[in-house]
Amino acid sequence: MTKIQAPSTEIIRPEDKRLGIGPSFIYGLQHVLTMYGGIIAVPLIIGQAAGMNRQDIGLLIAAALFMGGLATLLQTLGVPFFGSQLPLVQGVSFASVATMVAIVNGGGGIQAVFGAVIVSAAIGLLIAPIFSKIVKFFPPVVTGTVITTIGLTLMPVAANWAMGGNAKAPGYGSTSNILLAFGTLAIVLLLSKLGNATISRLSILLAMIIGTVVAVILGKADFSKVGVGPFFAFPTPFHLGMPTFQIAGIISMVIVVLVILTETTADILAVGEIVGTKVDSKRIAAGLRADMASSIVSPIFGSFTQSAFAQNVGLVAVTGIKSRFVVSAGGVILVALGLLPIVGRIVAAVPMSVLGGAGIVLFATVAASGIRTLATVDYKNNMNLIIVAVALGFGMLPIASPTFYDDFPTWFSTIFHSGISSAALMAILLNLLFNHLKRGNSENPSVFAAGTDRQIDISILTHLKDGDRCEDGKILDADGREIPLVNKPATGH
């Protein structure tokens, strides 16, 4: 007798969809191009601060690409207890730049930076489960605020790229640079409107290619140095020296790790919201562990703290490609770039102005996604409006005035210098204060609360008695019997 097999009821998560090898690597390359400028910026800054020669700085860049790829694979594919299995691209964290430069300038050198990263990441790995438990304190009023802030805080990055990327370079901020950025943005919009589904999804990548071709014609792109340097190079463990461990540097990096954990939690929640998948405390903990485990290994190969790249969250929103395997393909490309410096040099030749044009739409899309989340929040007869307002205000302060917290203690300025962590911390604290710790809340909300727009004739109250109530559109008395509604003409009393 033939058995009839019951249809599978397993629900496939949006992020688990596979697109095939070809499309995955094409869309993965788009992710790499989106974050390439950001991932090479940190080793450039740290290498220059440490007084390293071009060859050693090149090794730092190769290590950043190599470790970013491995960290991305761990985050997207996952192993037990490590990796959120979400479409998140990993790379060197911007949050650690100021602290690492301070360690270098303090006489510790690049080796002290490596030691501080290893120890602080190990501490972060231990406390990751604690951070994962705060997911219940991230309702839409918090996540929407944080996602919006992520997009807004990235706009200065897009503006800097559009102007040329290097303030000391000739032509920085020139009309030609900005017009090239706007031209790239226009191509993105044009392809999104006129192209078919495939072209629309590849609009960012195609616009970068077209923008680069235009830049070559205008003489604003230089590929002459692509062939200078080794074709293949494997990052050698501890090739820049063994790490050293200084208490002051470790303490300052622990503060940075707390900021990174906060920002990564926000990124995980943001991409989960965009993808439309369930994100619980276990998944957040696994994502944070992947961050910290990658950060522990990074200094061995000459790199730094790893975290999720917020700009790639915007790319997921723009393209609608939710597959984590697409980002995994991007991770493979990053590893290849780390092993093949010549390929990295080709990608690095893409003008920053072209990246800036794409960045405008990418980063603004993140903010728009946050606004969409905030639109689902209930603002009536509560303090959610003031929570959003104050948290956004704190998030914008370091963007509007980068030196705002310079005179505060180092630990304080390190945390609040990041607009994302500022907004996240304020949104969480205010949500706790007004929506969880309700004792002491006024029965009559302040002027900042959005009241209901409905009105009921006060004369109705004269007919109600103790125990009367409204259920399912019916008025019931104390015994649960329905009170009929009648339409009586006015009596003139």
Side-chain angles (χ1 to χ4, degrees), residues 114-200:
F114 292 149
V117 170
I118 292 174
V119 176
S120 61
I123 295 172
L125 181 62
L126 293 175
I127 65 175
I130 298 175
F131 264 77
S132 69
K133 300 299 183 183
I134 67 174
V135 65
K136 63 181 179 181
F137 299 120
F138 279 80
V141 68
V142 174
T143 57
T145 301
V146 174
I147 296 170
T148 302
T149 305
I150 290 174
L152 295 177
T153 55
L154 286 170
M155 290 310 296
V157 176
N160 180 55
W161 288 355
M163 297 172 73
N166 182 1
K168 297 181 180 179
Y172 178 79
S174 65
T175 303
S176 59
N177 279 348
I178 295 175
L179 287 178
L180 181 59
F182 285 164
T184 304
L185 172 59
I187 295 171
V188 173
L189 299 177
L190 188 64
L191 294 176
S192 299
K193 176 178 175 61
L194 302 180
N196 57 31
T198 301
I199 291 177
S200 180

Side-chain angles (χ1 to χ4, degrees), residues 294-324:
S294 302
S295 298
I296 292 173
V297 177
S298 284
I300 296 176
F301 294 100
S303 193
F304 314 108
T305 48
Q306 303 289 313
S307 68
F309 266 50
Q311 53 261 54
N312 292 84
V313 175
L315 185 58
V316 173
V318 169
T319 63
I321 303 296
K322 303 174 181 179
S323 173
R324 60 190 173 99

Side-chain angles (χ1 to χ4, degrees), residues 56 75 101 118 123 285 311 340 423 429 448:
D56 285 342
Q75 187 70 268
V101 169
I118 292 174
I123 295 172
Q311 53 261 54
L340 302 171
L429 292 175
F448 294 105

Side-chain angles (χ1 to χ4, degrees), residues 244-332:
T244 59
F245 304 94
Q246 298 181 350
I247 297 298
I250 291 172
I251 293 174
S252 61
M253 282 302 298
V254 168
I255 297 173
V256 171
V257 162
L258 295 177
V259 174
I260 291 173
L261 289 174
T262 303
E263 293 185 347
T264 298
T265 299
D267 287 334
I268 291 174
L269 291 167
V271 79
E273 186 83 19
I274 292 170
V275 170
T277 191
K278 181 181 179 182
V279 175
D280 54 19
S281 60
K282 290 183 179 180
R283 204 166 187 183
I284 293 175
L288 297 180
R289 289 192 193 99
D291 254 14
M292 295 298 102
S294 302
S295 298
I296 292 173
V297 177
S298 284
I300 296 176
F301 294 100
S303 193
F304 314 108
T305 48
Q306 303 289 313
S307 68
F309 266 50
Q311 53 261 54
N312 292 84
V313 175
L315 185 58
V316 173
V318 169
T319 63
I321 303 296
K322 303 174 181 179
S323 173
R324 60 190 173 99
F325 300 109
V326 164
V327 178
S328 299
V332 173

